[in-house]
Amino acid sequence: MNSGTHKQLAGKTALVTGSSRGIGPAIATLLGAEGAAVGVHCHKSVSAAEEVVATIEASGGRARVLQGDVGNENDVERFVSELTDAFGPVDILVNNAGINHFVPIFETTEADFERLVRVNTTGAFLCARAVASTMRDRRYGRIINVSSDCGKRGGKVSGVHFSASKAALQGLTRSLTRQLSPFGITVNDVAPATILTERLDATLTEEQRAARTSAIPIGRMGRPEDVAAAVGFLASDQAGFITGASIDVSGGARIA
Amino acid sequence: MDRIDSTLSGRVALVTGAASGLGRATALRLAQSGAAVAVNYSRNQTGAEAVAGMITDMGGRAIAIRADVADKAAVDAMVANVVAELGGCHIVVANAAYSENATLFELTLEQWNRMFDVVLKGTFLCAKAAIPHMLEAGWGRIITISSDAGKKGGQATGPHYSSSKAGVLGLMMGLARQLASMNITVNDVCPMDIPVERWEGRSRERLDSILAGVPRGRFGSPADIGAAIAFLASDEASHVNGTSIDVSGGAILL
Ligand SMILES: NC(=O)c1ccc[n+]([C@@H]2O[C@H](COP(=O)([O-])OP(=O)(O)OC[C@H]3O[C@@H](n4cnc5c(N)ncnc54)[C@H](OP(=O)(O)O)[C@@H]3O)[C@@H](O)[C@H]2O)c1
Ligand SMILES: NC(=O)c1ccc[n+]([C@@H]2O[C@H](COP(=O)([O-])OP(=O)(O)OC[C@H]3O[C@@H](n4cnc5c(N)ncnc54)[C@H](OP(=O)(O)O)[C@@H]3O)[C@@H](O)[C@H]2O)c1
């Protein structure tokens, strides 16, 4: 995607929530390699976020660590202004921070429900609201929400609250598409299915791995880089007319 | 008001937000198919009692019952009362909601949270409280009510309404998958542009411009929603699971 010397996101500032581990670092690294100055955000894993920043800087990019709970209004306002002070107003927001919870409905409590909605959906609302005004003023913006396959067809192993929170995130994408597109802000969704993060890699047994893989037509599990590629495309100028869309990054899977 | 059929006789239905609008029409329609109905409200006691009264007047069984669907203790107590008074809780129609206009720029976290508590958590709490009784009966129906705003995003409608209504669809599908083997179906009805009491006061121009977006060329009625819900609640729909029925006169396609 990087065409030689020209870096297509040069001069842009990007915020990638939850980019300390899992899929987020691949997104932050790709946007950094394309020339964006990146806010590498974490909730608790500050040292992991520092490593991601170091990786981006080592290849000549600019990045800094941001820390805070996306579900906390004050935290969000604070880390967005830290990033703005350092690199300028946010041009690209990737709402990637998220949590899952594998429980059947019988064991899903009200507190579980509130926690997942707060991080997965309310967090994206708060981050979008925190950056939307300057995007509107500058008539440019890219908001990319990382949802999930479960939001589209409901998860069986993932809790119903995870499916609900991710479907709600997809609904937020559609709402913001209508409200923000007139200001030159595109809003899109990327819906991953099983992505083999380090966390997942360390916990899957050989049988689970085989079972998951066999359910994916393309014959392998997804990688963080697969998600990052879709996000990078939506962030690029080539995707300027794409808004309100959702890209499945699933290898063709229907999770059973 | 007369009985239409007996497809739901022996069933007990809880309809949330049933004092007015689509919930009211649904409560009446389920009673017309023989269900005993709990008519839930949070503020509109007069409306709920009138609906329950219409059902008892036609020889059916009904109670009006108060609970804020966002309040877990109130929901649990309501479901326990429904079971005690009507003998079960086989059908839940999670209809209670309100809509609110807002732009992203002005929407407060308090507005966002209250909407999610009522629309999304309220649906979860009502379903969750009723499921044990459905399992006990070996039969259950959960019917959620989404909105075109959830599927397509709304322009004037606030992001909190569109997002929480989209969340209802994800919740519905997740529940459908988890409960499918237990003889409980979970489906959604998605109304669009159905005039109800709260539309009173809308100008002729406003109504005409909405109507211009309805391919059928006339407005639907609350009874159209009640009919779709009565179908999903019936035994005939036992193999229908995890889907959403648009009741829009074709407007959802535009
Ligand atoms: N992996 C998959 O198979 C898969 C499939 C579908 C969708 N997704 C979605 O993709 C996104 C990334 O998933 P992942 O697998 O990379 O997850 P992950 O490895 O668990 O990483 C989650 C990231 O989110 C951050 N985070 C968690 N709670 C937060 C909070 N309250 N405030 C701020 N940040 C918070 C974490 O920060 P700390 O490190 O500081 O805790 C971490 O950086 C999520 O939205 C997830 O739902 C993933
Ligand atoms: N009409 C349409 O064209 C349309 C289109 C799309 C979606 N919908 C959906 O259809 C459903 C019914 O709406 P409607 O048009 O019939 O409007 P409505 O007449 O305002 O009905 C909503 C009902 O919900 C109740 N309610 C609100 N908050 C509650 C709470 N916290 N706890 C319990 N009950 C509560 C209200 O009763 P109280 O006054 O007692 O609180 C009211 O009777 C809603 O889910 C709505 O989003 C309607």
Side-chain angles (χ1 to χ4, degrees), chain B residues 6-73:
Chain B
S6 301
T7 53
L8 300 178
S9 63
R11 307 293 188 204
V12 177
L14 165 62
V15 183
T16 67
S20 63
L22 309 184
R24 176 180 186 273
T26 300
L28 297 175
R29 181 62 182 77
L30 297 180
Q32 287 178 301
S33 286
V37 183
V39 179
N40 160 261
Y41 66 97
S42 74
R43 287 152 304 198
N44 189 353
Q45 182 173 0
T46 320
E49 283 170 354
V51 173
M54 285 177 76
I55 294 171
T56 47
D57 283 351
M58 61 170 265
R61 292 200 301 146
I63 55 170
I65 189 158
R66 203 195 108 74
D68 174 350
V69 295
D71 177 345
K72 180 175 189 296

Side-chain angles (χ1 to χ4, degrees), chain A residues 101 103-105 108 113 155 158-165, chain B residues 124 167 170-171 173-176 178:
Chain A
H101 188 201
V103 281
I105 174 68
T108 309
F113 194 93
S158 295
V160 299
H161 48 328
F162 181 74
S163 302
S165 68
Chain B
F124 165 76
L171 176 63
M173 291 184 282
L175 287 169
Q178 292 194 5

